[in-house]
Amino acid sequence: VDPAPFSVILQLPLFKFLLQIDHIVHNGGLYKRPFNEAFEETPMLVAVLTYVGYGVLTLFGYLRDFMRQWKIEKCQNAIEREEQKDFVPLYQDFENFYTRNLYMRIRDTWNRPICSVPGAKVDVMERVSHDYNWTFTYTGRVIKGVINMGSYNYLGFAQNNGTCQQAAAKVLSQYGAGVCSSRQEMGNLDKHEELEKLVARFLGVESAMAYGMGFATNSMNIPALVGKGCLILSDELNHASLVLGARLSGAAIRIFKHNNMRSLEKLLKDAIVHGQPRTRRPWKKILILVEGIYSMEGSIVRLPEVIALKKKYKSYLYLDEAHSIGALGPTGRGVVEYFGLNPEDVDVMMGTFTKSFGAAGGYIGGKKELIDYLRTHSHSAVYATSLSPPVVEQIITSMKCIMGEDGTTFGRECVQQLAENTRYFRRRLKEMGFIIYGNEDSPVVPLMLYMPAKIGAFGREMLKRNIGVVVVGFPATPIIESRARFCLSAAHTKEMLDTALKEINEVGDLLQLKYSRHRLVPLLDRPFDETTYEETED
């Protein structure tokens, strides 16, 4: 049979359309919208050169440690005092090897102090080091108007004017700055009750509880939900607060590959078939831990598939929406709304107020029985001091603004502006030839740097051009996947983004960062539990 006519048919738009429809019906029926994520493979030469770079730095690190031991070079790091030389060492030298010899070389690109509101632009205090970043001296000069591409100010509510600021100032004058007590004692204010009812309404759940710290919301509540005899299935790229909470709980922990539903389902099957080790008794509870948006990858959880698996295998789902609440969905209600799902299908909805709401703290939402249980069993609820009243008012005002209950459309406009900024910024970076990770709708935009020398160089060069960026390297990322991480905001104007893109393009040429050599096209027949792409030469 002559295959030529079939090749012609395959090129027809109608046939491609029918293939896509068949793909959606059989593989993506759970999805009501396109789900496009890109993770271009690290070029082989770049990977080799990155390993070589770290190898050279490690060799020089050992050489410098040798010189410090023999007093040839001054030792700046923490060491035991002479009178304590017979004690068990308090400082483990090798554990700090990376900090001493690699991190210190580029320490100036982190912890930069700002002296303004972390809005679309910030003022940065200039500092210099005369001992290779071991100590810093402030020059007294302030670098004005630095475009802020690093803060989690997704909706632009981190500001010192406007309705949020006025409302917080009014509450500050009435209630003061602190509560000085826990919620179970004298620290339960009417403002806390108002906030929790509003959060429950915003999420579409029965009840909610607010906490004073986002990190502690995870690390202190997970141990209250699971314990010995329970099983936690955690995504390999979950945040440190989820990891710490899982470890503190005493439950058994199994890790599944990032956003890989085959890996998750295999663990669920094994857990049900084999039960607990040695005794083979059934697990008391199986809890799946995932995030809405992963803050280092820019990827969005495959929530429809996670919920389907959770229902199929009768397990529980804990969803961390720290980065997705406010930033995803037509009305900013997070990844659940983004996929058009029912909030009741998520057993524990966790999020923070530190990003989209420009405040502090975190929350947990769910069934009333769950929240009532946590009020008496959560360490973060029983022992921690309550949220500051002005911070509570900042959250209430910004949340009502997003919901449109302030009588304006400003909140919805911010959500839409963030979505537009995200797509525009991602598309432009890809057109320039950079390798960009993550979902096309994620406001977290990782730009891959790879080589250790380019981590510091990129941060410094961008600051010279009045652009503030966050750079991330090993051990926060895999050793060959160092990156710059941009966070988009509704407060960014198109002129700001164009200025930042122009400078990024220039620095990219200077440092030779445009590694992408392929055009990524999602395969029509790819399974929805894997992120695989066809690489086509430009």
Side-chain angles (χ1 to χ4, degrees):
V1 178
D2 183 7
F6 294 97
S7 64
V8 173
I9 291 172
L10 288 171
Q11 300 303 317
L12 292 175
L14 177 61
F15 189 84
K16 287 185 175 180
F17 175 74
L18 291 174
L19 271 179
Q20 190 168 8
I21 293 298
D22 180 74
H23 161 65
I24 291 170
V25 170
H26 290 91
N27 295 312
L30 297 171
Y31 290 81
K32 300 176 183 178
R33 58 178 301 139
F35 188 79
N36 299 318
E37 291 192 345
F39 297 93
E40 186 175 343
E41 189 177 0
T42 306
M44 180 59 71
L45 178 61
V46 174
V48 171
L49 291 175
T50 302
Y51 280 119
V52 169
Y54 275 106
V56 171
L57 285 172
T58 303
L59 287 175
F60 273 91
Y62 280 115
L63 176 62
R64 297 189 71 176
D65 275 356
F66 176 80
M67 294 169 69
R68 291 179 186 126
Q69 185 177 359
W70 291 95
K71 313 297 183 186
I72 301 172
E73 180 182 322
K74 184 179 179 182
C75 184
Q76 301 269 18
N77 58 291
I79 57 174
E80 306 297 334
R81 291 183 295 176
E82 189 64 29
E83 56 267 32
Q84 292 182 322
K85 63 181 180 180
D86 294 328
F87 284 45
V88 175
L90 182 61
Y91 308 106
Q92 297 292 331
D93 273 349
F94 187 75
E95 290 178 6
N96 298 317
F97 178 87
Y98 179 86
T99 302
R100 287 195 308 274
N101 298 301
L102 282 79
Y103 168 75
M104 280 298 170
R105 289 172 171 266
I106 52 177
R107 185 184 172 208
D108 57 303
T109 59
W110 289 290
N111 309 319
R112 290 188 179 124
I114 66 171
C115 51
S116 68
V117 173
K121 291 188 176 182
V122 293
D123 298 335
V124 180
M125 297 175 67
E126 187 181 64
R127 59 182 183 175
V128 296
S129 177
H130 303 290
D131 55 3
Y132 304 101
N133 296 334
W134 284 95
T135 61
F136 292 100
T137 303
Y138 293 100
T139 63
R141 178 174 171 263
V142 175
I143 307 171
K144 296 277 189 178
V146 176
I147 297 177
N148 180 8
M149 300 300 297
S151 294
Y152 306 132
N153 182 27
Y154 296 132
L155 296 181
F157 285 114
Q159 53 192 4
N160 57 1
N161 53 45
T163 55
C164 290
Q165 181 270 335
Q166 292 168 7
K170 183 178 179 181
V171 167
L172 176 64
S173 64
Q174 180 182 352
Y175 290 87
V179 181
C180 305
S181 183
S182 70
R183 291 286 297 276
Q184 290 198 348
E185 295 169 341
M186 296 293 290
N188 190 29
L189 303 180
D190 56 344
K191 282 292 175 185
H192 295 130
E193 302 277 352
E194 180 186 352
L195 171 62
E196 290 174 348
K197 289 177 183 176
L198 181 65
V199 170
R201 224 162 17 93
F202 182 67
L203 298 176
V205 296
E206 291 181 7
S207 186
M209 185 172 184
Y211 300 88
M213 182 181 179
F215 190 98
T217 306
N218 278 333
S219 60
M220 293 289 100
N221 280 296
I222 293 173
L225 296 172
V226 290
K228 190 174 180 182
C230 299
L231 175 65
I232 291 175
L233 302 181
S234 178
D235 190 290
E236 65 180 347
L237 296 182
N238 273 341
H239 189 262
S241 58
L242 290 168
V243 174
L244 179 61
R247 289 175 176 172
L248 290 174
S249 71
I253 304 170
R254 303 285 184 272
I255 309 299
F256 62 92
K257 293 177 183 178
H258 175 55
N259 241 353
N260 190 314
M261 296 303 106
R262 285 181 180 172
S263 176
L264 174 58
E265 184 167 18
K266 184 179 184 302
L267 289 178
L268 284 166
K269 283 181 179 177
D270 290 345
I272 291 171
V273 170
H274 300 296
Q276 299 184 40
R278 293 189 298 275
T279 65
R280 300 303 179 192
R281 291 176 180 170
W283 295 100
K284 293 178 181 177
K285 272 181 270 187
I286 300 176
L287 181 66
I288 302 170
L289 299 184
V290 293
E291 295 185 45
I293 292 178
Y294 290 85
S295 59
M296 283 297 174
E297 305 301 308
S299 54
I300 296 176
V301 65
R302 297 178 179 276
L303 191 59
E305 294 173 81
V306 175
I307 288 176
L309 289 175
K310 166 231 164 185
K311 289 180 177 179
K312 182 178 179 181
Y313 293 100
K314 305 292 189 294
S315 54
Y316 295 96
L317 176 58
Y318 186 109
L319 174 64
D320 179 347
E321 290 219 73
H323 288 268
S324 55
I325 193 69
L328 287 180
T331 61
R333 283 168 167 81
V335 71
V336 176
E337 184 189 46
Y338 175 80
F339 286 113
L341 302 172
N342 188 344
E344 291 184 1
D345 289 334
V346 180
D347 301 290
V348 186
M349 296 183 70
M350 177 271 173
T352 64
F353 304 122
T354 55
K355 300 166 180 71
S356 293
F357 305 98
Y363 67 81
I364 282 185
K367 297 285 186 184
K368 186 177 184 301
E369 293 84 358
L370 168 72
I371 303 305
D372 289 344
Y373 173 83
L374 289 176
R375 289 189 194 280
T376 56
H377 290 79
S378 166
H379 284 71
S380 192
V382 177
Y383 301 108
T385 304
S386 308
L387 272 165
S388 170
V391 173
V392 173
E393 188 62 26
Q394 165 75 21
I395 302 165
I396 291 173
T397 310
S398 59
M399 192 173 289
K400 284 184 176 179
C401 183
I402 297 169
M403 298 169 74
E405 294 185 2
D406 62 340
T408 72
T409 59
F410 178 74
R412 177 164 291 204
E413 289 169 4
C414 286
V415 175
Q416 293 172 351
Q417 187 62 54
L418 174 63
E420 291 174 14
N421 288 351
T422 296
R423 289 194 172 231
Y424 175 71
F425 193 76
R426 280 183 169 273
R427 177 172 56 81
R428 287 291 308 278
L429 287 178
K430 288 178 181 177
E431 289 171 358
M432 292 175 188
F434 294 103
I435 293 180
I436 304 299
Y437 274 10
N439 193 286
E440 63 180 12
D441 292 323
S442 169
V444 178
V445 185
L447 183 152
M448 305 310 292
L449 303 175
Y450 298 112
M451 301 179 197
K454 294 183 180 182
I455 301 172
F458 186 81
R460 293 169 191 141
E461 289 296 329
M462 292 303 294
L463 187 60
K464 284 180 187 177
R465 292 161 172 78
N466 250 36
I467 312 291
V469 301
V470 172
V471 289
V472 191
F474 180 80
T477 66
I479 194 166
I480 63 166
E481 293 187 10
S482 300
R483 64 199 66 179
R485 184 185 62 180
F486 303 104
C487 291
L488 279 304
S489 171
H492 289 139
T493 63
K494 189 172 184 297
E495 291 72 24
M496 289 181 191
L497 294 181
D498 286 337
T499 301
L501 287 163
K502 174 179 172 292
E503 303 299 347
I504 293 167
N505 189 38
E506 184 180 316
V507 174
D509 289 330
L510 177 67
L511 301 180
Q512 298 181 352
L513 297 173
K514 297 177 180 179
Y515 301 114
S516 182
R517 296 174 297 171
H518 303 90
R519 179 167 52 88
L520 298 180
V521 182
L523 290 172
L524 286 177
D525 60 345
R526 73 177 176 86
F528 263 65
D529 54 16
E530 291 181 359
T531 306
T532 53
Y533 288 82
E534 178 182 30
E535 294 186 346
T536 307
E537 292 288 347
D538 288 331

